[in-house]
Coordinates of all heavy atoms in Angstrom, one line a residue:
W1 N 5.8 11.0 16.9 CA 6.7 10.1 17.7 C 5.9 9.5 18.9 O 5.9 8.3 19.1 CB 7.9 10.8 18.3 CG 8.9 11.2 17.3 CD1 9.0 10.7 16.0 CD2 9.9 12.1 17.4 NE1 10.1 11.3 15.3 CE2 10.7 12.2 16.2 CE3 10.3 13.0 18.5 CZ2 11.8 13.0 16.0 CZ3 11.5 13.8 18.3 CH2 12.1 13.8 17.1
A2 N 5.1 10.3 19.5 CA 4.2 9.8 20.7 C 3.2 8.8 20.1 O 3.0 7.8 20.8 CB 3.6 11.0 21.4
M3 N 2.6 9.1 19.0 CA 1.6 8.2 18.4 C 2.3 6.9 18.0 O 1.7 5.8 18.2 CB 0.9 8.8 17.3 CG 0.0 10.0 17.7 SD -0.6 11.0 16.3 CE -1.7 9.8 15.5
E4 N 3.5 6.9 17.5 CA 4.2 5.7 17.1 C 4.4 4.7 18.2 O 4.4 3.5 18.1 CB 5.5 6.0 16.4 CG 5.4 6.6 15.1 CD 6.7 7.0 14.5 OE1 7.8 6.9 15.2 OE2 6.8 7.5 13.4
S5 N 4.6 5.3 19.4 CA 4.9 4.4 20.6 C 3.6 4.1 21.4 O 3.7 3.3 22.4 CB 5.9 5.1 21.5 OG 5.5 6.3 21.9
D6 N 2.5 4.5 20.9 CA 1.2 4.3 21.6 C 0.5 3.0 21.0 O 0.3 3.1 19.8 CB 0.3 5.5 21.5 CG -1.0 5.4 22.3 OD1 -1.5 4.2 22.5 OD2 -1.6 6.4 22.6
P7 N 0.3 2.0 21.8 CA -0.3 0.8 21.2 C -1.7 1.0 20.5 O -2.1 0.3 19.6 CB -0.5 -0.1 22.4 CG 0.4 0.4 23.4 CD 0.6 1.8 23.2
E8 N -2.4 2.1 20.9 CA -3.6 2.4 20.2 C -3.5 2.7 18.7 O -4.4 2.5 17.9 CB -4.2 3.7 20.9 CG -5.5 4.1 20.3 CD -6.0 5.5 20.8 OE1 -5.5 5.9 21.9 OE2 -6.9 6.0 20.2
F9 N -2.3 3.2 18.3 CA -2.0 3.5 16.9 C -1.1 2.5 16.2 O -0.7 2.8 15.1 CB -1.4 4.9 16.9 CG -2.3 6.0 17.4 CD1 -2.0 6.6 18.6 CD2 -3.4 6.4 16.8 CE1 -2.8 7.5 19.2 CE2 -4.2 7.4 17.3 CZ -3.9 7.9 18.5
E10 N -1.0 1.3 16.8 CA -0.1 0.3 16.2 C -0.7 -0.1 14.8 O -1.9 -0.2 14.6 CB -0.1 -1.0 17.1 CG 0.8 -2.0 16.6 CD 0.9 -3.2 17.6 OE1 0.1 -3.3 18.5 OE2 1.8 -4.0 17.4
N11 N 0.2 -0.3 13.9 CA -0.2 -0.7 12.5 C -1.0 0.4 11.8 O -1.7 0.1 10.9 CB -0.9 -2.0 12.5 CG -0.1 -3.1 12.9 OD1 1.1 -3.2 12.7 ND2 -0.7 -4.0 13.7
R12 N -0.8 1.7 12.2 CA -1.4 2.8 11.5 C -0.3 3.7 11.0 O 0.8 3.8 11.6 CB -2.4 3.5 12.4 CG -3.6 2.6 12.7 CD -4.5 3.2 13.7 NE -5.2 4.4 13.1 CZ -6.0 5.2 13.8 NH1 -6.2 4.9 15.1 NH2 -6.6 6.2 13.2
K13 N -0.5 4.3 9.9 CA 0.5 5.1 9.2 C 0.0 6.6 9.1 O -1.0 6.8 8.4 CB 0.8 4.5 7.8 CG 1.9 5.1 7.0 CD 2.1 4.3 5.7 CE 2.9 5.1 4.8 NZ 3.0 4.4 3.5
F14 N 0.8 7.5 9.7 CA 0.4 8.9 9.7 C 1.5 9.8 9.0 O 2.7 9.4 9.1 CB 0.2 9.4 11.1 CG -1.0 8.7 11.8 CD1 -0.7 7.6 12.7 CD2 -2.3 9.1 11.6 CE1 -1.7 7.0 13.3 CE2 -3.3 8.5 12.3 CZ -3.0 7.4 13.2
Y15 N 1.1 10.9 8.6 CA 2.1 11.9 8.1 C 1.5 13.3 8.3 O 0.3 13.4 8.6 CB 2.5 11.7 6.6 CG 1.4 11.9 5.6 CD1 1.2 13.1 5.0 CD2 0.5 10.8 5.3 CE1 0.2 13.3 4.0 CE2 -0.5 11.0 4.4 CZ -0.7 12.2 3.7 OH -1.7 12.3 2.8
L16 N 2.3 14.3 8.3 CA 1.9 15.7 8.5 C 2.2 16.6 7.3 O 3.3 16.5 6.7 CB 2.7 16.3 9.7 CG 2.5 15.8 11.1 CD1 3.5 16.5 12.0 CD2 1.1 16.0 11.5
I17 N 1.3 17.5 7.0 CA 1.6 18.6 6.1 C 1.1 19.9 6.7 O -0.1 20.0 6.9 CB 1.0 18.4 4.7 CG1 1.6 17.1 4.0 CG2 1.3 19.6 3.8 CD1 1.0 16.8 2.7
D18 N 2.0 20.8 7.0 CA 1.7 22.1 7.6 C 0.8 21.9 8.9 O -0.1 22.6 9.1 CB 1.0 23.0 6.6 CG 1.8 23.3 5.4 OD1 3.1 23.5 5.6 OD2 1.3 23.5 4.3
G19 N 1.2 20.9 9.7 CA 0.5 20.7 11.0 C -0.8 19.9 10.9 O -1.4 19.7 11.9
I20 N -1.2 19.6 9.7 CA -2.4 18.8 9.5 C -2.0 17.3 9.5 O -1.2 16.9 8.7 CB -3.2 19.2 8.3 CG1 -3.6 20.7 8.4 CG2 -4.4 18.3 8.1 CD1 -4.2 21.2 7.1
L21 N -2.7 16.5 10.3 CA -2.4 15.1 10.4 C -3.3 14.3 9.4 O -4.5 14.5 9.3 CB -2.8 14.6 11.8 CG -2.5 13.1 12.2 CD1 -1.0 12.8 12.1 CD2 -3.1 12.8 13.5
Y22 N -2.6 13.4 8.7 CA -3.3 12.6 7.7 C -2.9 11.1 8.0 O -1.9 10.8 8.6 CB -2.7 12.9 6.2 CG -3.0 14.3 5.8 CD1 -2.2 15.3 6.0 CD2 -4.2 14.5 5.0 CE1 -2.4 16.6 5.5 CE2 -4.4 15.8 4.5 CZ -3.6 16.8 4.8 OH -3.8 18.1 4.4
E23 N -3.8 10.3 7.6 CA -3.6 8.8 7.8 C -3.7 8.2 6.4 O -4.6 8.4 5.7 CB -4.6 8.2 8.7 CG -4.4 6.7 9.0 CD -5.3 6.1 10.0 OE1 -6.2 6.8 10.6 OE2 -5.1 4.9 10.3
D24 N -2.7 7.3 6.2 CA -2.7 6.5 5.0 C -3.2 5.1 5.3 O -2.9 4.6 6.4 CB -1.3 6.4 4.4 CG -1.0 7.5 3.4 OD1 -1.9 8.1 2.9 OD2 0.2 7.7 3.1
E25 N -3.8 4.4 4.4 CA -4.1 3.0 4.6 C -2.9 2.2 4.6 O -1.9 2.6 3.9 CB -5.1 2.5 3.6 CG -4.6 2.4 2.2 CD -5.6 1.9 1.2 OE1 -6.7 2.4 1.2 OE2 -5.3 1.0 0.4
M26 N -2.9 1.1 5.3 CA -1.7 0.2 5.2 C -1.7 -0.4 3.8 O -2.7 -0.8 3.2 CB -1.9 -0.9 6.3 CG -1.8 -0.4 7.7 SD -0.2 0.5 8.0 CE 1.0 -0.8 8.1
P27 N -0.4 -0.6 3.3 CA -0.3 -1.0 1.9 C -0.7 -2.5 1.7 O -0.5 -3.3 2.6 CB 1.1 -0.8 1.6 CG 1.8 -0.5 2.8 CD 0.8 -0.2 3.8
A28 N -1.3 -2.8 0.6 CA -1.6 -4.2 0.2 C -0.4 -4.8 -0.5 O 0.6 -4.1 -0.8 CB -2.9 -4.2 -0.7
R29 N -0.6 -6.1 -0.8 CA 0.5 -6.8 -1.4 C 1.1 -6.2 -2.7 O 2.3 -6.1 -2.8 CB 0.1 -8.3 -1.7 CG 1.2 -9.2 -2.2 CD 0.6 -10.6 -2.4 NE 1.6 -11.4 -3.1 CZ 1.8 -11.4 -4.4 NH1 1.0 -10.6 -5.2 NH2 2.7 -12.1 -5.0
P30 N 0.3 -5.8 -3.7 CA 0.9 -5.2 -4.9 C 1.7 -3.9 -4.6 O 2.8 -3.8 -5.1 CB -0.3 -4.8 -5.8 CG -1.4 -5.8 -5.3 CD -1.2 -5.9 -3.8
H31 N 1.2 -3.1 -3.7 CA 2.0 -1.9 -3.2 C 3.3 -2.3 -2.6 O 4.4 -1.8 -2.9 CB 1.1 -1.2 -2.2 CG 1.7 0.1 -1.8 ND1 2.7 0.2 -0.9 CD2 1.3 1.4 -2.1 CE1 3.0 1.5 -0.6 NE2 2.2 2.2 -1.3
A32 N 3.3 -3.3 -1.7 CA 4.5 -3.8 -1.1 C 5.5 -4.3 -2.1 O 6.7 -4.1 -2.0 CB 4.2 -4.8 0.0
R33 N 5.0 -5.1 -3.1 CA 5.9 -5.7 -4.1 C 6.6 -4.6 -4.9 O 7.8 -4.6 -5.2 CB 5.1 -6.6 -5.0 CG 4.4 -7.8 -4.3 CD 5.3 -9.0 -4.3 NE 5.6 -9.4 -5.6 CZ 6.8 -10.0 -5.9 NH1 7.7 -10.2 -5.0 NH2 7.1 -10.4 -7.2
L34 N 5.8 -3.5 -5.3 CA 6.4 -2.4 -6.0 C 7.4 -1.7 -5.1 O 8.5 -1.3 -5.6 CB 5.3 -1.4 -6.5 CG 4.5 -1.9 -7.6 CD1 3.3 -1.0 -7.9 CD2 5.3 -2.1 -8.9
Q35 N 7.1 -1.5 -3.9 CA 8.1 -0.9 -2.9 C 9.4 -1.6 -2.9 O 10.5 -1.0 -2.9 CB 7.4 -0.8 -1.6 CG 8.1 0.1 -0.6 CD 7.2 0.3 0.7 OE1 6.1 -0.1 0.7 NE2 7.8 0.9 1.7
V36 N 9.3 -2.9 -2.7 CA 10.5 -3.7 -2.7 C 11.3 -3.7 -4.0 O 12.5 -3.5 -4.0 CB 10.2 -5.2 -2.3 CG1 11.4 -6.1 -2.5 CG2 9.7 -5.3 -0.9
R37 N 10.5 -3.7 -5.1 CA 11.1 -3.7 -6.4 C 11.9 -2.4 -6.7 O 13.1 -2.4 -7.1 CB 10.0 -3.8 -7.5 CG 10.5 -3.9 -8.9 CD 10.9 -5.3 -9.2 NE 11.1 -5.4 -10.7 CZ 11.8 -6.4 -11.2 NH1 12.3 -7.3 -10.5 NH2 11.9 -6.4 -12.5
I38 N 11.3 -1.3 -6.4 CA 12.0 0.0 -6.6 C 13.2 0.2 -5.6 O 14.2 0.6 -6.0 CB 11.0 1.2 -6.4 CG1 9.9 1.1 -7.5 CG2 11.7 2.5 -6.4 CD1 8.7 1.9 -7.3
S39 N 13.0 -0.3 -4.4 CA 14.1 -0.2 -3.4 C 15.3 -1.1 -3.9 O 16.4 -0.7 -3.8 CB 13.6 -0.8 -2.0 OG 12.6 0.0 -1.5
H40 N 14.9 -2.2 -4.5 CA 16.0 -3.1 -5.0 C 16.8 -2.4 -6.1 O 18.1 -2.4 -6.0 CB 15.3 -4.3 -5.6 CG 16.2 -5.1 -6.5 ND1 17.2 -6.0 -6.0 CD2 16.3 -5.2 -7.9 CE1 17.9 -6.5 -7.0 NE2 17.3 -6.1 -8.2
F41 N 16.2 -1.7 -7.1 CA 16.9 -1.0 -8.1 C 17.7 0.1 -7.6 O 18.9 0.4 -8.0 CB 16.0 -0.5 -9.2 CG 15.4 -1.6 -10.1 CD1 14.1 -1.9 -10.1 CD2 16.3 -2.4 -10.8 CE1 13.6 -2.9 -10.9 CE2 15.8 -3.5 -11.6 CZ 14.4 -3.7 -11.7
L42 N 17.2 0.9 -6.6 CA 17.9 2.0 -6.0 C 19.0 1.5 -5.1 O 20.1 2.1 -5.1 CB 17.0 2.9 -5.2 CG 16.0 3.7 -6.1 CD1 15.0 4.4 -5.2 CD2 16.8 4.8 -6.9

């Protein structure tokens, strides 16, 4: 939550598993299109 509100981490995507911090790359257009498509059906 603190990182999300820090401008230093703007446009970066993080997640945690067992206290270990991971960073995902920002999705590209094909990824985003699939995300919208699946969201639409659901």
Side-chain angles (χ1 to χ4, degrees):
W1 290 343
M3 291 169 70
E4 286 174 358
S5 58
D6 186 334
E8 177 186 347
F9 299 107
E10 187 175 10
N11 297 322
R12 292 175 69 187
K13 185 177 164 185
F14 298 97
Y15 64 96
L16 296 173
I17 297 177
D18 297 327
I20 298 173
L21 181 66
Y22 297 88
E23 182 174 4
D24 271 340
E25 70 179 46
M26 292 303 288
R29 184 179 171 277
H31 184 285
R33 298 271 298 145
L34 287 170
Q35 191 170 354
V36 168
R37 184 83 168 160
I38 293 164
S39 296
H40 166 76
F41 288 117
L42 288 171

